[in-house]
Amino acid sequence: MPDTMTRDAPRGSAGTSTYDAVIIGAGFSGMYQLHLLRDRLGLSVRVLEQGGGVGGTWYWNRYPGARCDSESHSYCFTFSPELYKEWEWTERYPGQPEIMRYMNWVADRLDLKRDIAFDTRVTAARYDDTANRWQVTTEAGERLNATYLITAVGCLSTANVPKIPGLEDFKGRWYHTGQWPHEGVDFTGMRVGQVGTGSTGIQAVPVIAEAAKHLTVFQRTANYSVPARNGPLDAEFKDWVRQNYEKIRATTQSTPNGHPFIIADRSTWDVTEEERAALYEAAWEKGGLQLRATFRDLLVDKAANDTAAEFLKAKIRSIVKDPDTAAKLADIDHPYAAKRPPIDSDYFETFNRDNVALVDVRANPIERITPDGIQLRDGTLHALDIIVFATGFDAMTGPLLLLNITGRDGLALKDAWAAGPRSYLGLQVAGFPNLFTITGPGSPSVLCNMPVCIEQHAEWIADCIAMLREKGVARMEPEPAAVDRWVEQVNAAANATLLPQAGHSWYLGANVPGKPRVFMPYAGGMARYREICDEVAGKGYEGFALSR
Ligand code: N01
């Protein structure tokens, strides 16, 4: 039996550094996984992070208006009551700079940075069958090997810049929101075009409109949005948060989405039309993602969903003064919350400004980018100085496939997933021993408030690795039959909801041309998923092949 709790000190052999575990990524996942493996299990761990600091998605997404849609008292680590109570959030929804301050504060408090290599991009990871170790290579040519490889790369970290002909000839500047320059962008006096109206675009529009000479929003799919009602937190609320740490944590761990609010236990049809309108109005006034918690059947009963959809479309029409613009914004073709529902600060109101225009690029698609701007199919040219692509990400599989992972018998992850991702619990992939994927496809991940699902995954992985070492298990990977069963469960969970009805959703991979259409996250709810993971571990890691 190996010595379980001693650190395997890094040692050089032919230029290779050796660790118990290599973690890729230093956002919420990588930071907590490092803490658990290093400080609780005593392992030697190296974290490789391509950014210049901790923060993951928040390190890169510095676009105007970048703010979290989860409420601040739930968008943080909860594993430590001390850390939880010591940090004080200033606003209902934390802005990107405040989240970055928080992440750095946690990293310093837990002394994490000494084991993180920043500005270090992983270019390949290969499993060596004979040595039973992962060989990891970085862009700078560094080589590391480790028993366990843990990906903590996030679900939304591979920017999707659409391949629109002519972009390289554009005379102005262009940016993707997910790779925003750290020095910021000065929009003063500029004619700006923004492509994309997802959660990101909806946050960016009001802020860019304030600064730019003119903003043209290119909308392909109209989107719902509910006011965030962001604002400063008062002392009373901050005290309440500190005093109710256990209760808040218990709530986030027992709700399907990991948020600190409970989905109402009533059907849309339990109330009269007037009562329903009043409930929606109250939710609209309160603001935020809670609106979808007004009735328990909003995501499973299309007719129930239609009542929320109609309420939200009527709101758009009542806010936006120009009837043509209002009609385009309210022409939404999918059920409410079947795509990730955005929340906003004055998104629809911004279209009442004189310097903002909406262009419907579903009716009249973008044909090409010319040196002067964006040209539509009918020949119309929108002259621009700056183009902002708020066009999303190659979600969930993109960041993992970029790592060039090769498993047992030379099997490349891109080949294993050629028809779409297949995993067991979103935690492991057959043919890739001792590889763990935090919030991987097949886990609730993006359907949950991220820190909640990240803490559960990192803890499950740490417990699992402790077990492997205690029992002298050298290799762990899922049995193919367990993967088949889990993929069926993931599909069944999605099909029990309205989520697959948004055919252009990134949950399905539909936003990236050529990407297999597979519903990627587990839609059965975080609380149920946690139970399943616990049951699997309780039954001796049922469905995993463990070998000495
Ligand atoms: O990306 P998206 P996002 N021509 O994929 C359009 C999280 N998030 O960055 O719908 C024209 O949702 C595309 O149109 P369509 C959150 O989970 C969190 O906004 O494909 N348009 C769509 O309108 C979120 O869901 C927070 O037809 C094109 C938009 O670009 C996820 O990140 C904040 C196009 C992309 O929307 C991704 O959100 C922000 C093209 N060629 C984001 N290609 C917080 O919690 C794409 N589009 C803070």
Side-chain angles (χ1 to χ4, degrees):
M1 183 187 294
D3 181 350
T4 54
M5 297 297 152
T6 54
R7 287 183 76 174
D8 185 3
R11 55 182 185 271
S13 94
T16 301
S17 309
T18 299
Y19 298 91
D20 292 321
V22 164
I23 298 169
I24 308 174
F28 272 98
S29 331
M31 285 169 55
Y32 187 37
Q33 194 72 74
L34 167 61
H35 173 60
L36 288 174
L37 296 187
R38 185 193 71 181
D39 302 334
R40 288 206 193 154
L41 301 194
L43 305 189
S44 65
V45 185
R46 191 72 171 155
V47 179
L48 307 176
E49 165 57 57
Q50 67 174 331
V54 296
T57 193
W58 300 103
Y59 179 86
W60 302 102
N61 282 272
R62 295 166 187 253
Y63 59 86
R67 183 176 294 285
C68 187
D69 290 347
S70 299
E71 297 192 40
S72 53
H73 64 293
S74 66
Y75 195 77
C76 49
F77 290 114
T78 64
F79 66 88
S80 156
E82 293 75 32
L83 285 183
Y84 186 84
K85 291 177 189 179
E86 206 175 314
W87 180 262
E88 201 166 84
W89 294 103
T90 64
E91 292 180 277
R92 179 175 176 187
Y93 302 93
Q96 182 271 344
E98 189 168 19
I99 300 174
M100 283 299 285
R101 284 197 294 279
Y102 170 76
M103 303 290 277
N104 277 284
W105 175 78
V106 173
D108 292 338
R109 280 293 302 271
L110 300 177
D111 193 17
L112 299 179
K113 290 178 185 169
R114 66 184 156 92
D115 288 311
I116 305 174
F118 294 110
D119 299 309
T120 302
R121 195 169 76 79
V122 170
T123 49
R126 171 174 285 274
Y127 175 72
D128 176 344
D129 298 54
T130 316
N132 184 35
R133 292 186 75 80
W134 281 94
Q135 314 285 350
V136 180
T137 313
T138 73
E139 198 170 33
E142 202 186 342
R143 282 177 296 157
L144 303 90
N145 80 53
T147 309
Y148 312 107
L149 178 65
I150 299 153
T151 59
V153 288
C155 301
L156 297 160
S157 50
T158 305
N160 172 40
V161 179
K163 292 184 178 52
I164 303 173
L167 179 58
E168 61 288 355
D169 301 326
F170 181 53
K171 282 192 309 205
R173 290 172 285 148
W174 66 266
Y175 307 94
H176 186 280
T177 49
Q179 294 171 337
W180 204 256
H182 287 205
E183 64 280 12
V185 175
D186 185 2
F187 292 105
T188 316
M190 298 287 165
R191 297 163 303 170
V192 182
Q194 179 182 304
V195 184
T197 53
S199 301
T200 302
I202 281 177
Q203 288 186 332
V205 159
V207 185
I208 297 177
E210 286 278 342
K213 181 175 167 198
H214 190 270
L215 171 65
T216 308
V217 180
F218 296 88
Q219 170 189 278
R220 188 164 69 182
T221 303
N223 216 338
Y224 302 95
S225 187
V226 170
R229 311 257 183 242
N230 186 40
L233 296 173
D234 58 26
E236 196 187 337
F237 183 79
K238 290 177 190 173
D239 278 347
W240 179 85
V241 166
R242 268 189 292 271
Q243 283 158 20
N244 287 277
Y245 156 76
E246 283 87 5
K247 201 171 148 195
I248 295 165
R249 184 165 204 251
T251 304
T252 57
Q253 293 195 347
S254 63
T255 51
N257 298 324
H259 286 289
F261 53 81
I262 308 281
I263 296 175
D265 187 25
R266 64 176 164 235
S267 158
T268 308
W269 314 118
D270 289 344
V271 297
T272 64
E273 209 174 318
E274 292 71 32
E275 287 166 337
R276 197 178 304 133
L279 287 165
Y280 284 141
E281 195 62 47
W284 174 270
E285 281 311 312
K286 191 166 188 197
L289 295 169
Q290 282 101 312
L291 198 136
R292 71 183 159 176
T294 309
F295 299 106
R296 65 164 187 264
D297 46 359
L298 285 183
L299 268 181
V300 292
D301 176 345
K302 175 69 168 59
N305 191 289
D306 285 346
T307 66
E310 278 315 315
F311 172 84
L312 294 171
K313 290 175 186 178
K315 281 289 180 196
I316 299 171
R317 288 189 288 264
S318 74
I319 295 169
V320 180
K321 293 187 180 130
D322 173 56
D324 181 49
T325 305
K328 284 176 186 155
L329 287 166
D331 185 17
I332 306 174
D333 65 356
H334 52 279
Y336 168 60
K339 289 175 98 167
R340 160 67 153 69
I343 63 174
D344 68 277
S345 297
D346 294 335
Y347 174 65
F348 295 116
E349 289 80 352
T350 300
F351 290 95
N352 293 332
R353 293 176 66 109
D354 292 339
N355 70 333
V356 176
L358 180 73
V359 173
D360 176 1
V361 294
R362 168 142 321 158
N364 188 11
I366 297 174
E367 182 80 3
R368 61 178 296 106
I369 293 174
T370 74
D372 298 314
I374 291 183
Q375 186 184 313
L376 306 183
R377 182 168 294 172
D378 72 354
T380 311
L381 175 71
H382 291 273
L384 302 168
D385 304 306
I386 295 179
I387 301 174
V388 173
F389 290 105
T391 44
F393 303 88
D394 181 356
M396 303 199 75
T397 50
L400 290 168
L401 295 177
L402 268 186
L403 298 174
N404 286 318
I405 299 176
T406 308
R408 197 162 42 74
D409 305 322
L411 176 66
L413 188 62
K414 72 170 171 21
D415 294 329
W417 284 1
R422 297 177 62 78
S423 76
Y424 184 33
L425 301 171
L427 277 160
Q428 276 214 314
V429 184
F432 297 78
N434 300 342
L435 168 70
F436 296 90
T437 50
I438 303 181
T439 64
S443 74
S445 60
V446 292
L447 298 180
C448 178
N449 177 27
M450 289 306 286
V452 175
C453 57
I454 285 169
E455 283 191 340
Q456 184 266 345
H457 259 198
E459 286 164 10
W460 193 94
I461 292 168
D463 290 347
C464 175
I465 289 178
M467 176 282 294
L468 297 177
R469 294 171 72 83
E470 272 161 27
K471 294 200 160 42
V473 176
R475 289 179 185 79
M476 170 173 179
E477 66 171 285
E479 292 160 358
V483 173
D484 291 345
R485 282 195 301 274
W486 184 246
V487 169
E488 271 175 35
Q489 269 183 267
V490 172
N491 290 336
N495 291 333
T497 71
L498 303 176
L499 295 173
Q501 290 193 19
H504 34 58
S505 149
W506 60 259
Y507 295 155
L508 278 163
N511 63 326
V512 177
K515 187 166 172 169
R517 295 283 196 278
V518 172
F519 194 88
M520 294 182 284
Y522 172 70
M526 186 59 210
R528 175 68 194 124
Y529 175 79
R530 185 187 298 274
E531 284 169 7
I532 294 171
C533 290
D534 289 348
E535 280 164 24
V536 165
K539 290 182 185 165
Y541 292 86
E542 189 178 48
F544 289 98
L546 309 177
S547 55
R548 283 166 197 276

